[in-house]
Amino acid sequence: MNWLQQLVDAFVRWVRRCIPAYDPQNWNDNDGIQFNNNCYNYACAIRTNTFAQPGRATGNMYPLPIDCPGVDAGARSDGLRAIDCDRGCGCRECCHQVALVVAPAGGEFNDFHWYRLGPDGRWSHKPGGTQATNLDNSGHVITDPRTADRGAYTVFCGCYCVCEGRVTIN
Amino acid sequence: MSEPEQNAVVVFLLVYSGRPDPSWPLDEGGIGNVAARHADVRGRALRVPTPPARLGYRGFRIENRPRVDRLPPVLLVGGGVVVEATEKGDSEAWADVAGLESWLLDEARSRGHDQLLREAGAPVRPDEPQPA
């Protein structure tokens, strides 16, 4: 391996140091950690044990019914930064990428959900108080949450960066 | 969490991902029903794999907050499987041969969650395959 390749690899490792790996063992305890941390906790990689809600930590809880603008405002208030999904978070800060989807109002089922991008380019998520997984509703590995089987969460809202020391959730 | 649920055996309907799930306390009759079905499952069912996590309807979690003797601290019921967390931090799963999920689905419907269950993809009967 030549020095240029080594330099590139070192740079990639340096950028990826900020991206949380898929770590279901840290969440799936069939007990308090799993039950009290939801998709927003998992996506932000922050355990609060409070079933965190976008905007609650910063006094801007999303309103009901749940829609993209409402959750977006709450998430931005908590410190998440909206980005183009195809451009990523860059490497100026220590950040990882997450994505927001919504099950739209219209009936009884109305909710939000978050995914997070891992260092291997694949996505994972944690459906509520159940286990974290890297599979979609069809059992496929998630390479892009825009095209994954999301069940009733049919509205794709957008992507965000979660940057170290800049996000507060509760 | 309402005050009556603070020190009760509480059922959570596992449907949402972001917002809190609906929940209700079990009365004595309900506790007895769950305990009997749980004992039946443990006594005669085969161990099975835990169902995979998914969005939408996933089943129920029963939290035994007052530590009633007849029940484990936590039971997960869904996908035709009953899962009990062990004190070692592992979990054991059995086939739901006692109709516990079916009974909980009827309970949820009787509490006004019928439309929510349908929209979340819950089976009419638990032994029916869930929609992909």
Side-chain angles (χ1 to χ4, degrees), chain A residues 77-162:
Chain A
S77 173
D78 287 347
L80 282 77
R81 177 164 53 89
I83 51 148
D84 181 334
C85 292
D86 294 318
R87 296 194 61 164
C89 295
C91 52
R92 289 174 61 183
E93 289 184 274
C94 203
C95 308
H96 69 273
Q97 190 172 340
V98 300
L100 169 65
V101 299
V102 157
E108 285 285 312
F109 193 86
N110 176 217
D111 192 19
F112 62 88
H113 181 61
W114 294 86
Y115 296 85
R116 93 180 182 202
L117 179 61
D120 60 354
R122 293 179 173 177
W123 297 74
S124 59
H125 61 141
K126 184 176 183 298
T130 45
Q131 298 195 334
T133 178
N134 59 357
L135 304 177
D136 70 8
N137 265 24
S138 295
H140 298 131
V141 169
I142 304 168
T143 54
D144 188 335
R146 290 172 291 193
T147 56
D149 182 351
R150 307 191 304 264
Y153 296 77
T154 53
V155 179
F156 186 87
C157 303
C159 291
Y160 299 80
C161 291
V162 176

Side-chain angles (χ1 to χ4, degrees), chain A residues 41-59:
Chain A
N41 290 105
Y42 181 80
C44 292
I46 300 172
R47 274 194 218 153
T48 61
N49 299 318
T50 60
F51 223 77
Q53 301 295 302
R56 186 165 65 188
T58 47

Side-chain angles (χ1 to χ4, degrees), chain A residues 35-80:
Chain A
F35 302 152
N36 296 313
N37 293 281
N38 63 1
C39 56
Y40 193 43
N41 290 105
Y42 181 80
C44 292
I46 300 172
R47 274 194 218 153
T48 61
N49 299 318
T50 60
F51 223 77
Q53 301 295 302
R56 186 165 65 188
T58 47
N60 287 295
M61 175 94 167
Y62 60 83
L64 295 176
I66 292 170
D67 60 12
C68 289
V71 182
D72 169 86
R76 287 176 191 252
S77 173
D78 287 347
L80 282 77

Side-chain angles (χ1 to χ4, degrees), chain A residues 29-31 34-35 38-39 51-53 62 64 66 107-113 115 125-131 133 137 149-153, chain B residues 14-21 50-58 61 63 74 76 83-85 89-91 112-113 115-116 119-120 131-132:
Chain A
D29 67 346
N30 270 336
D31 204 344
Q34 180 180 313
F35 302 152
N38 63 1
C39 56
F51 223 77
Q53 301 295 302
Y62 60 83
L64 295 176
I66 292 170
E108 285 285 312
F109 193 86
N110 176 217
D111 192 19
F112 62 88
H113 181 61
Y115 296 85
H125 61 141
K126 184 176 183 298
T130 45
Q131 298 195 334
T133 178
N137 265 24
D149 182 351
R150 307 191 304 264
Y153 296 77
Chain B
L14 305 177
V15 286
Y16 293 132
S17 177
R19 63 194 291 189
D21 286 312
T50 305
R54 67 195 313 278
L55 291 171
Y57 171 79
R58 299 179 292 281
R61 182 173 83 247
E63 284 190 10
V74 177
L76 298 170
V83 180
E84 178 181 340
D90 302 326
S91 61
H113 297 306
Q115 188 181 348
L116 177 63
E119 291 174 5

Side-chain angles (χ1 to χ4, degrees), chain A residues 30-36 51 129, chain B residues 1 5-14 21 23-26 31 34 60-68 71-77 104:
Chain A
N30 270 336
D31 204 344
I33 294 172
Q34 180 180 313
F35 302 152
N36 296 313
F51 223 77
Chain B
M1 180 71 52
E5 296 181 11
Q6 294 290 347
N7 194 31
V9 177
V10 179
V11 177
F12 291 83
L13 169 57
L14 305 177
D21 286 312
S23 64
W24 61 89
L26 276 182
I31 292 170
V34 171
F60 300 86
R61 182 173 83 247
I62 303 172
E63 284 190 10
N64 178 10
R65 295 175 175 170
R67 294 295 190 260
V68 172
L71 289 175
V74 177
L75 268 181
L76 298 170
V77 182
L104 289 165

Side-chain angles (χ1 to χ4, degrees), chain B residues 38-109:
Chain B
H38 172 243
D40 193 13
V41 163
R42 290 203 61 162
R44 65 188 179 101
L46 292 175
R47 292 194 183 177
V48 294
T50 305
R54 67 195 313 278
L55 291 171
Y57 171 79
R58 299 179 292 281
F60 300 86
R61 182 173 83 247
I62 303 172
E63 284 190 10
N64 178 10
R65 295 175 175 170
R67 294 295 190 260
V68 172
D69 286 342
R70 293 164 286 166
L71 289 175
V74 177
L75 268 181
L76 298 170
V77 182
V81 174
V82 177
V83 180
E84 178 181 340
T86 69
E87 290 182 354
K88 290 181 289 185
D90 302 326
S91 61
E92 295 175 333
W94 293 273
D96 181 9
V97 294
L100 183 51
E101 184 177 8
S102 181
W103 181 78
L104 289 165
L105 281 166
D106 288 342
E107 276 284 295
R109 291 189 183 102

